[in-house]
Amino acid sequence: MSNGSGVSGGDRNRNARLSKLREAVPVSNAIVGIDLADRKQMLVVTDHDSRVLARRTFRCKAWDLGAGLDWANERAARAGFAGVTVACEPTGQRWRILGQLAGDRGMSFVCVQPMLSSWARKTEDLTTDKTDDKDAVIIARLTAQLRCYLPEPNRRDLGAVAPSRRPAGGAPGPPHRMRAADPRPARVRMARGPRRGQVALPVPDLGRSDDSGHGP
């Protein structure tokens, strides 16, 4: 249905979302695509045409990637870019660690859905071949096309052991570990609801007897 402006409500919502993404992925920034793994991290620095400006493998854990981000920022500056936008897939807890490292350095941080990367890999060379080198470039290319999303704000205490509540005059209870945030975009979580296994449905106890002492 048309209106006086010729723009629908869906168009306005999409335009607003793209504007926020463009703020995180400005054309003045180079894009750092990162393929995260356990002990091997592949970094590529690209322009907005996905031309690779630099590439390097860091054999370390994700929380040791600070030096890698500093290296990528220096390579981007050499190429004439004002800064960098860091992009990765939301893999385990590594993406949260990377987001914190990027935030500490004032770098923009976005995520690319793994399913989108998988489809892009097929269109890249018509194969399902998965390699760290290729995936990092695909992540950067999708980010340049704004086919990414802004994750929820990173909590600095994520994964830390939270102090337990101590009752008045009692001994402290066992510590509990904070739960990680859902890496899916907000609109996907709202549309699909909680992920499988997040909500436990009550199961009736069919073996419990009634007040008369007889079974059901």
Side-chain angles (χ1 to χ4, degrees), residues 57-127:
T57 300
F58 288 82
R59 299 189 179 277
C60 62
K61 293 283 190 177
W63 51 75
D64 293 324
L65 262 181
L69 295 182
D70 294 337
W71 167 83
N73 191 51
E74 185 269 335
R75 289 304 180 106
R78 283 190 191 180
F81 288 94
V84 298
T85 296
V86 180
C88 71
E89 293 178 340
T91 306
Q93 293 302 312
R94 304 183 188 104
W95 68 283
R96 280 293 188 185
I97 298 169
L98 180 62
Q100 179 176 319
L101 293 173
D104 290 344
R105 289 161 173 77
M107 299 174 177
S108 301
F109 178 68
V110 298
C111 287
V112 173
Q113 285 292 348
M115 183 176 294
L116 194 59
S117 300
S118 176
W119 279 106
R121 191 181 306 117
K122 296 175 183 178
T123 61
E124 184 85 6
D125 55 9
L126 301 180
T127 70

Side-chain angles (χ1 to χ4, degrees), residues 168-185:
H176 62 277
R177 188 166 293 275
M178 295 182 181
R179 295 177 62 87
D182 193 332
R184 297 176 296 174

Side-chain angles (χ1 to χ4, degrees), residues 5-152:
S5 66
V7 179
S8 67
D11 292 332
R12 286 191 291 269
N13 292 337
R14 179 176 181 274
N15 292 344
R17 186 172 70 251
L18 290 176
S19 295
K20 291 181 179 179
L21 286 174
R22 179 53 70 196
E23 292 177 3
V25 193
V27 294
S28 58
N29 277 10
I31 299 171
V32 183
I34 303 180
D35 186 71
L36 295 169
D38 184 21
R39 296 180 180 274
K40 178 185 176 183
Q41 323 301 334
M42 171 58 67
L43 276 69
V44 294
V45 183
T46 74
D47 62 12
H48 284 253
D49 293 324
S50 72
R51 289 176 295 197
V52 177
L53 307 175
R55 178 194 301 274
R56 185 173 176 182
T57 300
F58 288 82
R59 299 189 179 277
C60 62
K61 293 283 190 177
W63 51 75
D64 293 324
L65 262 181
L69 295 182
D70 294 337
W71 167 83
N73 191 51
E74 185 269 335
R75 289 304 180 106
R78 283 190 191 180
F81 288 94
V84 298
T85 296
V86 180
C88 71
E89 293 178 340
T91 306
Q93 293 302 312
R94 304 183 188 104
W95 68 283
R96 280 293 188 185
I97 298 169
L98 180 62
Q100 179 176 319
L101 293 173
D104 290 344
R105 289 161 173 77
M107 299 174 177
S108 301
F109 178 68
V110 298
C111 287
V112 173
Q113 285 292 348
M115 183 176 294
L116 194 59
S117 300
S118 176
W119 279 106
R121 191 181 306 117
K122 296 175 183 178
T123 61
E124 184 85 6
D125 55 9
L126 301 180
T127 70
T128 58
D129 180 38
K130 178 176 173 60
T131 64
D132 297 340
D133 296 3
K134 182 186 299 183
D135 283 359
V137 175
I138 289 175
I139 291 170
R141 176 165 63 87
L142 292 172
T143 301
Q145 298 170 353
L146 298 185
R147 300 174 71 184
C148 55
Y149 69 93
L150 297 170
E152 293 180 352

